[in-house]
Amino acid sequence: MAIASTLGMTDPASPANDFSGRDKLKAHSVEFRKRVEKITDGVYTAVGYSASNVTLIQAQGGSIIVDTSANPVDAMAIMGAFGDLMIHPVRAIIYTHNHPDHTGGATVFAGDDKPEIYSHDLLVRIKPVTGRGRRDDGDAFGTALSDDQFINAGTQLEYGRVTPHTREGFLPPTQTFDGEEDSLAIAGVQIKLIHTPGEADENISVWLPDRNVLIAGDVLLKTFPNIAPLRGLPTRPVEEWIASLDKLIALNARFVIPGHMGTITGASEGKDALTAYRDGIKFVYEKTMEGVARGKTPDELVQEIKLPAELARHPYLQEYYGTVAWAVRGIYQQNAGWFDGNPTHIFPLTEKERAAKLVAMIGGTAKMLGSAEASLSAGEFQWAAEQADYVLALEPQNREARTVKIHALRGLGERQMNATARNYYLTVAQSLDKPEPLSK
Ligand SMILES: [Zn+2]
């Protein structure tokens, strides 16, 4: 299965002894090492000090800061790392988007300088979305995992594990623009702000034409994008995301700074990165829509739709943060609704009814548990978890079923290269492992 180890990296059915996904995720952490990158004259980016990047633009008699890190503690560390490169006063702060890891340290950079704060108008108009996907204490960022279980969070080394993302350092925008773009001159620096929705509706990219630098925001990340996140968010606007990347490709930037991780240097390298990203998203979108038109179900499409080999190999489309499978499900639901077309699924049995019938059919919970344990021993972690769930639907406190599920989730988590899936599996396993029984 040489192909599966390249393409099926996040496939839950990967062999029991295959830890290559985890090894890849560990190796990915090198992207998050702390450093200040000199992009070109007068432009520096602090990578790895916080969840997201902070870029310093030196201007006439002052500085411009793009994104502000996750909180005042991280922002202080970044100010220290920039050191003498910071020219005071800070004349302007630009938020690429509203996610707390980009906006939480503004007060530190602003100090007493009273800079203008720029963003797209949607940043003030849209209520910030936080995830709602914490059923069973699952946490895609793995904030509560112990150090030995935690690897990284996909686009950042950690998200709120050390210093929570509290927004206490947020400053509201003072200058916003509506529509496609805005051209500014701040302290002698020509700046174009370009609306590039994708991971966030309000995302803007910052283009410095004189310095040939593009600060993309989260519309480009060095991982397959999280189009339909586990943490209970709406599916991201996929067609807009593709159009945003088209706009950025056309700039032909010599330096491309993503919202997280290191800078891509060289016009052809930048173009290749943005193009692969656009093509990867577009491929999954088009194949899903074709499948919808052919009457395929989401489950069938998840099996069918794999990136072509060249895109599957691309370093910025590896499934550390999002996956093709979830993108397919998200796009399906976004465009064709929740119903998969099988009339049996119009009004299905409840989980409890189905579990009661299946457990009775096999001859009781002890038989179901015996089968689940055998699956676990055989390395069939997904099937073991599903059988444990049938028992837990009837007896939520059943200790043996919980134990099977804990081991199954750890088995799945340890074989994942996707950070958010790994973190979710392992945080739920951790919470099921608490000695006290769950009380309802
Ligand atoms: Zn981000």
Side-chain angles (χ1 to χ4, degrees), residues 49 71 73-74 142-144 147 150 157-165:
Y49 285 88
N71 54 57
V73 176
D74 292 355
T143 26
D147 287 349
F150 184 77
L157 188 58
E158 59 96 11
Y159 187 101
R161 276 167 61 78
V162 179
T163 338
H165 298 184

Side-chain angles (χ1 to χ4, degrees), residues 97 99 101-102 199 218 260:
H97 62 293
H99 289 173
D101 52 322
H102 296 256
E199 205 187 76
D218 281 2
H260 302 250

Side-chain angles (χ1 to χ4, degrees), residues 29 35 90 94 138 164 170 179 188 230 238 241 275 305 339 372 389 427 440:
S29 290
R35 73 272 192 191
V90 170
I94 302 170
F170 175 78
L230 292 184
V238 183
W241 201 329
T275 305
I305 299 176
F339 179 47
D389 277 348
T427 45
K440 287 271 165 185

Side-chain angles (χ1 to χ4, degrees), residues 7-28 149 151-152 230 318-326 381-382 408-426:
L7 301 182
M9 302 151 302
T10 52
D11 185 350
S14 62
N17 59 354
D18 184 3
F19 292 97
S20 57
R22 182 179 64 187
D23 295 341
K24 276 190 76 169
L25 182 62
K26 281 184 180 165
H28 180 57
Q149 291 203 314
I151 297 176
N152 63 55
L230 292 184
Q318 303 305 300
E319 296 173 301
Y320 299 118
Y321 192 44
T323 73
V324 173
W326 308 335
F381 302 111
Q382 180 65 29
L409 296 182
R410 292 202 172 126
L412 292 168
E414 292 295 347
R415 285 159 187 78
Q416 265 298 321
M417 76 168 267
N418 182 276
T420 68
R422 174 189 169 86
N423 292 334
Y424 205 98
Y425 283 129
L426 296 183

Side-chain angles (χ1 to χ4, degrees), residues 331-382:
I331 294 165
Y332 186 101
Q333 191 164 39
Q334 194 174 50
N335 292 280
W338 62 269
F339 179 47
D340 70 358
N342 179 350
T344 307
H345 298 154
I346 294 178
F347 294 110
L349 293 179
T350 65
E351 281 182 35
K352 202 168 175 178
E353 287 165 343
R354 184 181 305 106
K357 289 176 191 302
L358 281 170
V359 167
M361 194 188 287
I362 198 178
T365 47
K367 285 257 173 63
M368 185 64 90
L369 278 170
S371 174
E373 279 160 5
S375 303
L376 200 54
S377 307
E380 292 184 34
F381 302 111
Q382 180 65 29

